[in-house]
Amino acid sequence: MFVRQNLHDPELTPGAIAAAHHISVSYLHRIFQQQTPGETIAAWIRGQRLEGARRDLADPALDSVPIHAVAARWNFPRAADFTRTFRAAYGLAPSEYRLNSLAERAQTQRRQTSKPRAGGHETESPSTHW
């Protein structure tokens, strides 16, 4: 919970997490390895931040926020590093992902508004009543 609440904090490190829980860093690493074998705390944090950035890029309410600002909000201060990391994780550049996500969402919304009504009748546009 502590880590998720502090993902935006650039000072979120294994040392900071250990200090907040009054445990040693080595004990934190042992606990983490028991919970998620094969992954380090730092890699998990980076993955969570990347996922947060991915969600923000797909959010229509944030479509006017520049990609570099989304990246910085999730502690990816260098745009080139963010793009490289994002592409490695999701197979697309952040800009391509945003365009695709927003286009898919718009297409889904258009389909939903043109579905037949509960009575089985096609949705009519206002112009059909003129």
Side-chain angles (χ1 to χ4, degrees):
M1 188 63 139
F2 173 83
V3 175
R4 289 187 196 278
Q5 290 175 339
N6 290 283
L7 283 172
H8 294 288
D9 183 354
E11 301 299 316
L12 183 66
T13 62
I17 296 165
H21 291 89
H22 309 288
I23 60 175
S24 71
V25 174
S26 62
Y27 184 59
L28 175 67
H29 284 294
R30 277 195 306 269
I31 292 170
F32 194 81
Q33 280 302 303
Q34 291 172 355
Q35 299 294 318
T36 56
E39 187 170 35
T40 66
I41 296 167
W44 185 84
I45 290 170
R46 192 171 34 258
Q48 294 299 302
R49 287 175 169 166
L50 194 58
E51 179 60 21
R54 186 195 64 78
R55 280 191 311 270
D56 284 358
L57 290 171
D59 186 343
L62 300 175
D63 68 346
S64 65
V65 177
I67 291 172
H68 70 87
V70 170
R73 177 175 184 254
W74 288 100
N75 287 292
F76 292 97
R78 290 179 295 282
D81 292 342
F82 174 67
T83 298
R84 191 172 24 264
T85 303
F86 192 94
R87 186 186 303 271
Y90 301 109
L92 296 170
S95 57
E96 294 170 303
Y97 179 81
R98 176 179 259 178
L99 286 173
N100 291 347
S101 295
L102 297 175
E104 285 175 21
R105 187 178 295 244
Q107 188 175 31
T108 300
Q109 288 174 343
R110 281 192 300 274
R111 273 191 235 125
Q112 289 174 345
T113 59
S114 66
K115 284 186 178 178
R117 293 186 186 162
H121 303 288
E122 288 293 321
T123 305
E124 296 177 313
S125 67
S127 63
T128 60
H129 296 290
W130 301 72

CSV table of all heavy atoms in Angstrom, one decimal, residues 71-95:
chain,number,residue,atom,x,y,z
A,71,ALA,N,5.0,11.2,-18.7
A,71,ALA,CA,6.2,10.4,-18.3
A,71,ALA,C,6.9,11.0,-17.1
A,71,ALA,O,7.2,10.3,-16.1
A,71,ALA,CB,7.2,10.5,-19.5
A,72,ALA,N,7.0,12.3,-17.0
A,72,ALA,CA,7.6,13.0,-15.8
A,72,ALA,C,6.8,12.7,-14.6
A,72,ALA,O,7.3,12.5,-13.5
A,72,ALA,CB,7.8,14.5,-16.1
A,73,ARG,N,5.4,12.8,-14.7
A,73,ARG,CA,4.6,12.5,-13.6
A,73,ARG,C,4.8,11.2,-13.0
A,73,ARG,O,4.6,11.0,-11.8
A,73,ARG,CB,3.1,12.7,-14.1
A,73,ARG,CG,2.1,12.4,-13.0
A,73,ARG,CD,0.7,12.6,-13.5
A,73,ARG,NE,-0.2,12.4,-12.4
A,73,ARG,CZ,-1.0,11.4,-12.3
A,73,ARG,NH1,-1.0,10.4,-13.2
A,73,ARG,NH2,-1.8,11.3,-11.2
A,74,TRP,N,5.2,10.2,-13.8
A,74,TRP,CA,5.4,8.8,-13.4
A,74,TRP,C,6.9,8.6,-13.2
A,74,TRP,O,7.3,7.4,-13.2
A,74,TRP,CB,4.7,7.8,-14.3
A,74,TRP,CG,3.3,7.9,-14.2
A,74,TRP,CD1,2.4,8.5,-15.0
A,74,TRP,CD2,2.5,7.3,-13.2
A,74,TRP,NE1,1.1,8.3,-14.5
A,74,TRP,CE2,1.2,7.6,-13.4
A,74,TRP,CE3,2.8,6.5,-12.1
A,74,TRP,CZ2,0.1,7.1,-12.6
A,74,TRP,CZ3,1.8,6.0,-11.2
A,74,TRP,CH2,0.5,6.3,-11.5
A,75,ASN,N,7.7,9.6,-13.0
A,75,ASN,CA,9.1,9.5,-12.7
A,75,ASN,C,9.9,8.9,-13.8
A,75,ASN,O,10.8,8.1,-13.6
A,75,ASN,CB,9.3,8.8,-11.4
A,75,ASN,CG,8.9,9.6,-10.2
A,75,ASN,OD1,9.6,10.6,-9.9
A,75,ASN,ND2,7.8,9.3,-9.6
A,76,PHE,N,9.6,9.3,-15.0
A,76,PHE,CA,10.5,9.1,-16.2
A,76,PHE,C,10.9,10.4,-16.7
A,76,PHE,O,10.3,11.0,-17.6
A,76,PHE,CB,9.7,8.3,-17.2
A,76,PHE,CG,9.4,6.9,-16.8
A,76,PHE,CD1,8.1,6.6,-16.3
A,76,PHE,CD2,10.3,5.8,-17.0
A,76,PHE,CE1,7.8,5.3,-16.0
A,76,PHE,CE2,10.0,4.5,-16.6
A,76,PHE,CZ,8.8,4.2,-16.1
A,77,PRO,N,11.9,11.0,-16.1
A,77,PRO,CA,12.2,12.4,-16.4
A,77,PRO,C,12.8,12.6,-17.8
A,77,PRO,O,12.7,13.7,-18.4
A,77,PRO,CB,13.2,12.8,-15.4
A,77,PRO,CG,13.8,11.6,-14.9
A,77,PRO,CD,12.8,10.5,-15.0
A,78,ARG,N,13.4,11.6,-18.4
A,78,ARG,CA,14.0,11.7,-19.8
A,78,ARG,C,13.1,11.1,-20.8
A,78,ARG,O,12.9,9.9,-20.8
A,78,ARG,CB,15.4,11.1,-19.8
A,78,ARG,CG,16.4,12.0,-19.0
A,78,ARG,CD,17.8,11.4,-19.0
A,78,ARG,NE,17.9,10.1,-18.3
A,78,ARG,CZ,17.9,9.9,-16.9
A,78,ARG,NH1,17.8,11.0,-16.1
A,78,ARG,NH2,18.0,8.7,-16.4
A,79,ALA,N,12.6,11.9,-21.7
A,79,ALA,CA,11.6,11.4,-22.7
A,79,ALA,C,12.1,10.2,-23.5
A,79,ALA,O,11.4,9.3,-23.8
A,79,ALA,CB,11.2,12.6,-23.6
A,80,ALA,N,13.4,10.3,-23.9
A,80,ALA,CA,14.0,9.2,-24.7
A,80,ALA,C,14.0,7.9,-24.0
A,80,ALA,O,13.7,6.8,-24.5
A,80,ALA,CB,15.4,9.6,-25.2
A,81,ASP,N,14.4,8.0,-22.7
A,81,ASP,CA,14.4,6.8,-21.9
A,81,ASP,C,13.0,6.2,-21.7
A,81,ASP,O,12.8,5.0,-21.8
A,81,ASP,CB,15.0,7.0,-20.5
A,81,ASP,CG,16.5,7.4,-20.5
A,81,ASP,OD1,17.1,7.0,-21.6
A,81,ASP,OD2,17.0,7.9,-19.5
A,82,PHE,N,12.0,7.1,-21.5
A,82,PHE,CA,10.6,6.7,-21.3
A,82,PHE,C,10.1,6.0,-22.6
A,82,PHE,O,9.5,4.9,-22.6
A,82,PHE,CB,9.7,7.9,-21.0
A,82,PHE,CG,8.3,7.5,-21.0
A,82,PHE,CD1,7.7,6.6,-20.0
A,82,PHE,CD2,7.4,8.0,-21.9
A,82,PHE,CE1,6.4,6.3,-20.0
A,82,PHE,CE2,6.0,7.7,-21.9
A,82,PHE,CZ,5.5,6.8,-21.0
A,83,THR,N,10.4,6.6,-23.8
A,83,THR,CA,10.0,6.0,-25.0
A,83,THR,C,10.6,4.6,-25.3
A,83,THR,O,9.9,3.7,-25.6
A,83,THR,CB,10.3,7.0,-26.2
A,83,THR,OG1,9.6,8.2,-26.0
A,83,THR,CG2,9.9,6.4,-27.5
A,84,ARG,N,11.9,4.5,-25.0
A,84,ARG,CA,12.5,3.2,-25.2
A,84,ARG,C,12.0,2.2,-24.2
A,84,ARG,O,11.7,1.0,-24.6
A,84,ARG,CB,14.0,3.4,-24.9
A,84,ARG,CG,14.9,2.3,-25.3
A,84,ARG,CD,16.4,2.6,-25.2
A,84,ARG,NE,16.8,3.6,-24.3
A,84,ARG,CZ,17.1,4.9,-24.6
A,84,ARG,NH1,16.9,5.3,-25.9
A,84,ARG,NH2,17.5,5.7,-23.7
A,85,THR,N,11.7,2.5,-23.0
A,85,THR,CA,11.2,1.6,-22.0
A,85,THR,C,9.8,1.2,-22.3
A,85,THR,O,9.4,0.1,-22.2
A,85,THR,CB,11.3,2.2,-20.6
A,85,THR,OG1,12.6,2.6,-20.3
A,85,THR,CG2,10.8,1.3,-19.5
A,86,PHE,N,9.0,2.2,-22.7
A,86,PHE,CA,7.6,2.0,-23.1
A,86,PHE,C,7.5,1.0,-24.3
A,86,PHE,O,6.7,0.1,-24.3
A,86,PHE,CB,6.9,3.3,-23.4
A,86,PHE,CG,5.4,3.2,-23.4
A,86,PHE,CD1,4.6,3.4,-22.3
A,86,PHE,CD2,4.7,2.8,-24.6
A,86,PHE,CE1,3.2,3.3,-22.4
A,86,PHE,CE2,3.4,2.7,-24.7
A,86,PHE,CZ,2.6,3.0,-23.6
A,87,ARG,N,8.3,1.3,-25.3
A,87,ARG,CA,8.3,0.5,-26.5
A,87,ARG,C,8.7,-0.9,-26.2
A,87,ARG,O,8.1,-1.9,-26.7
A,87,ARG,CB,9.2,1.1,-27.6
A,87,ARG,CG,9.1,0.3,-28.9
A,87,ARG,CD,10.1,0.8,-29.9
A,87,ARG,NE,10.0,2.2,-30.2
A,87,ARG,CZ,9.3,2.8,-31.2
A,87,ARG,NH1,8.5,2.0,-31.9
A,87,ARG,NH2,9.3,4.1,-31.4
A,88,ALA,N,9.7,-1.1,-25.3
A,88,ALA,CA,10.1,-2.5,-25.0
A,88,ALA,C,9.0,-3.2,-24.2
A,88,ALA,O,8.8,-4.4,-24.4
A,88,ALA,CB,11.3,-2.4,-24.1
A,89,ALA,N,8.2,-2.5,-23.4
A,89,ALA,CA,7.2,-3.2,-22.6
A,89,ALA,C,5.9,-3.4,-23.4
A,89,ALA,O,5.2,-4.4,-23.3
A,89,ALA,CB,6.8,-2.3,-21.4
A,90,TYR,N,5.5,-2.5,-24.3
A,90,TYR,CA,4.2,-2.5,-24.9
A,90,TYR,C,4.3,-2.7,-26.5
A,90,TYR,O,3.2,-2.8,-27.1
A,90,TYR,CB,3.4,-1.3,-24.6
A,90,TYR,CG,3.1,-1.2,-23.1
A,90,TYR,CD1,3.7,-0.2,-22.3
A,90,TYR,CD2,2.3,-2.1,-22.4
A,90,TYR,CE1,3.5,-0.2,-20.9
A,90,TYR,CE2,2.1,-2.1,-21.0
A,90,TYR,CZ,2.7,-1.1,-20.3
A,90,TYR,OH,2.5,-1.0,-19.0
A,91,GLY,N,5.4,-2.6,-27.0
A,91,GLY,CA,5.6,-2.8,-28.5
A,91,GLY,C,5.2,-1.6,-29.4
A,91,GLY,O,5.3,-1.7,-30.6
A,92,LEU,N,4.9,-0.5,-28.7
A,92,LEU,CA,4.6,0.7,-29.5
A,92,LEU,C,5.3,1.9,-28.8
A,92,LEU,O,5.5,1.9,-27.6
A,92,LEU,CB,3.1,1.0,-29.5
A,92,LEU,CG,2.2,0.0,-30.2
A,92,LEU,CD1,0.7,0.3,-29.9
A,92,LEU,CD2,2.4,0.1,-31.7
A,93,ALA,N,5.5,2.9,-29.5
A,93,ALA,CA,6.0,4.2,-28.9
A,93,ALA,C,4.8,4.8,-28.1
A,93,ALA,O,3.6,4.5,-28.5
A,93,ALA,CB,6.4,5.2,-30.0
A,94,PRO,N,5.0,5.6,-27.1
A,94,PRO,CA,3.9,6.2,-26.3
A,94,PRO,C,2.9,6.9,-27.2
A,94,PRO,O,1.7,6.9,-27.0
A,94,PRO,CB,4.6,7.1,-25.3
A,94,PRO,CG,6.0,6.5,-25.2
A,94,PRO,CD,6.3,5.9,-26.5
A,95,SER,N,3.4,7.7,-28.2
A,95,SER,CA,2.5,8.4,-29.1
A,95,SER,C,1.7,7.5,-29.9
A,95,SER,O,0.5,7.8,-30.1
A,95,SER,CB,3.4,9.3,-30.0
A,95,SER,OG,4.3,8.6,-30.8
